[in-house]
DNA sequence: GCAGATAAGCGTATGGCATACGCAGATTTG
DNA sequence: CAAATCTGCGTATGCCATACGCTTATCTGC
């Protein structure tokens, strides 16, 4: 059930279920999964700020300090929540599938996950992927790029590109959606108001590129998913160009 | 000195200096800029968590609650800090300069700014760019793409692509640098340790793409700036391809 | 030059928060 | 059955943002 006791950081071992249940002492009344699930449920229902240790504890019917028998710090709990809520990645590259649809699906999966659980965007990234689902996502992302001739660091940079863009995009749209919900209006109205504010503020100054943008006015009724696809396709185009270069002159 | 009283949100008007100094009442003993500067100084010296209202106040020799005469909430202060600390964008596209070097410089500017003030990455993004320097950055980013044939939403998506990637990258490298500083080791050692942990954790499971990556082993002594450039060049390649498409078949 | 209006600084208080510490009781091992 | 060990958790500490209202300084209109 669990691997050898490696010199892993406590929180990582915890996330991977590598901490042996002690034999002495009373049985635990909860499991780590329950704690994490309670945290996720609160975050999803009431937003990340509602997730306090005492709130999670009361949700589970235990005292606040009991949680610290399961989790070293609150931040570790948040990391676990994100890892669990992200869930498993979308299906990996099929045997006869090209790298591009696979990486595209991977990117879409990123936004989908972030959109489904928008509170996740407020949990600060704590470092490179190390928790179980994060590593699974990493695996599938890299798998999409196997055999493309890209070097190791290039494959990593490529998936960072996609996931970073997905995160930016999901964050922006979620911020707008929340602003809309808060003011009882629609995302379109929030977007419109933003452009109006921008117009007002830049009117007296030298902002030719912004004014040109506003003059086109086409962005008011844009399909946001189209805009996201545009950026994703540009990334994939760039990666494709690199792969072709590598194919033409393979690195030794 | 200030424009007409538009129906702007309080914090935006504040950031743009559009709040008329009241004529009645005692003179203020501070300026908003001083408050923001004090916040930045603390964040830079001791990290973002050290920035509390009372800490900023004591730095300025005033009482905590005095700050609220200058700033509606702490979050508004953080936004102002970020806008100020980002500073002005790098030089805009020159008259005879192509879009690509200009956008490249703009992207580099993003990472440079974030690297110079690493605490900024921990301030949650509160929405689309609306504060003065943010808007200036927006202007220069868009200016780099003027006359390329890209549509308004495409120009926006392109600069989101670059800035999002810059932020991801700066965040990752800063996280690693801070972990190194905390443990008294070098970023290279932190990176190595990460790969070792990943190897340990994925050893028992089916992670072929990760194992392949680890087998190449080339990432241990990589120049991180090269990796950043790789991703940026891929984005620019993708944008270039799009621009060529548009040039071949102009949109009506 | 004075009265009323207004704003500044800020003392105090409220209600939150993460978490350190140690104890009482449960459970298991020898 | 005794020693060891772990659980749940009560209590306490020291933070935090910020609401409220008072005092005092300053300006405007008369």
């Amino acid at each position: 059930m669990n691997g050898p006791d490696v010199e892993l950081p406590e929180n990582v071992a915890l996330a991977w279920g590598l901490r042996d249940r002690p034999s002495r002492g009373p049985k635990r009344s909860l499991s780590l999964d329950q704690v994490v699930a309670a945290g996720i449920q609160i975050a999803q229902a009431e937003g990340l700020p509602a997730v306090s240790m005492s709130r999670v504890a009361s949700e589970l019917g235990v005292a606040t300090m009991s949680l610290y028998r399961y989790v070293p710090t609150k931040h570790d709990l948040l990391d676990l929540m994100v890892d669990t809520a992200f869930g498993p990645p979308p299906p990996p590259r099929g045997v006869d599938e090209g790298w591009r649809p696979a990486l595209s699906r991977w990117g879409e999966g990123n936004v989908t996950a972030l959109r489904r659980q928008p509170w996740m965007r407020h949990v600060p990234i704590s470092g490179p992927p190390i928790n179980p689902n994060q590593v699974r996502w990493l695996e599938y992302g890299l798998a999409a790029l196997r055999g493309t001739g890209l070097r190791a660091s290039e494959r990593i940079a490529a998936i960072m590109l996609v996931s970073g863009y997905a995160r930016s995009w999901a964050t922006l749209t979620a911020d707008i959606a929340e602003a809309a919900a808060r003011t009882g209006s629609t995302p379109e109205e929030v977007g419109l108001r933003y452009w109006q504010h921008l117009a007002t503020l830049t009117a007296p100054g030298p902002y030719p590129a912004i004014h040109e943008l506003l003059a086109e006015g086409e962005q008011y009724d844009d399909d946001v998913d189209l805009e996201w696809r545009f950026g994703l396709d540009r990334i994939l185009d760039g990666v494709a160009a690199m792969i072709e270069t590598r194919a033409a002159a393979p690195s030794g």
Side-chain angles (χ1 to χ4, degrees), chain A residues 91-147:
Chain A
R93 169 143 82 123
V95 275
D96 285 328
E97 194 180 20
W99 65 269
R100 187 161 176 148
L103 189 54
S104 175
R105 181 170 60 250
W106 190 84
E108 297 278 1
N110 268 276
V111 281
T112 304
L114 284 165
R115 274 227 244 271
R116 191 152 29 218
Q117 314 252 32
W119 55 268
M120 287 197 291
R121 73 188 190 282
H122 293 128
V123 179
I125 295 174
S126 57
I130 193 65
N131 281 353
N133 277 330
Q134 286 175 0
V135 170
R136 247 162 269 165
W137 280 83
L138 175 65
E139 168 67 25
Y140 283 16
L142 291 172
L145 290 169
R146 285 180 93 181

Side-chain angles (χ1 to χ4, degrees), chain A residues 66-182:
Chain A
S66 304
L67 298 184
Y68 288 95
R69 295 282 177 195
Y70 298 85
V71 142
T73 71
K74 181 187 177 179
H75 200 118
D76 294 315
L77 172 57
L78 292 178
D79 281 346
L80 291 170
M81 285 166 56
V82 168
D83 193 60
T84 301
F86 238 96
R93 169 143 82 123
V95 275
D96 285 328
E97 194 180 20
W99 65 269
R100 187 161 176 148
L103 189 54
S104 175
R105 181 170 60 250
W106 190 84
E108 297 278 1
N110 268 276
V111 281
T112 304
L114 284 165
R115 274 227 244 271
R116 191 152 29 218
Q117 314 252 32
W119 55 268
M120 287 197 291
R121 73 188 190 282
H122 293 128
V123 179
I125 295 174
S126 57
I130 193 65
N131 281 353
N133 277 330
Q134 286 175 0
V135 170
R136 247 162 269 165
W137 280 83
L138 175 65
E139 168 67 25
Y140 283 16
L142 291 172
L145 290 169
R146 285 180 93 181
T148 54
L150 292 183
R151 286 195 283 253
S153 64
E154 294 171 342
R155 275 174 274 154
I156 289 180
I159 69 172
M160 267 194 59
L161 216 45
V162 174
S163 65
Y165 178 59
R167 195 180 176 95
S168 304
W169 191 261
T171 298
L172 180 62
T173 53
D175 284 348
I176 291 172
E178 275 182 13
R182 216 174 15 246

Side-chain angles (χ1 to χ4, degrees), chain A residues 99-100 148-150 236-250:
Chain A
W99 65 269
R100 187 161 176 148
T148 54
L150 292 183
L236 297 178
D237 283 354
V239 172
M242 190 61 178
I243 289 174
E244 279 159 34
T245 305
R246 281 273 183 286

Side-chain angles (χ1 to χ4, degrees), chain A residues 14-85:
Chain A
L14 216 57
W16 285 81
L18 297 177
R19 275 295 166 263
D20 298 321
R21 63 290 175 250
S23 48
R24 304 265 242 268
K27 278 162 191 154
R28 317 192 118 184
S29 62
L30 302 170
S31 69
L32 178 56
D33 286 347
Q34 276 179 281
V35 176
V36 171
I40 290 173
Q41 190 228 307
I42 296 166
Q44 182 73 3
E46 304 168 41
L48 195 63
V51 180
S52 70
M53 294 305 266
S54 68
R55 182 77 178 69
V56 173
S58 80
E59 200 75 14
L60 292 165
V62 300
T64 304
M65 291 311 292
S66 304
L67 298 184
Y68 288 95
R69 295 282 177 195
Y70 298 85
V71 142
T73 71
K74 181 187 177 179
H75 200 118
D76 294 315
L77 172 57
L78 292 178
D79 281 346
L80 291 170
M81 285 166 56
V82 168
D83 193 60
T84 301

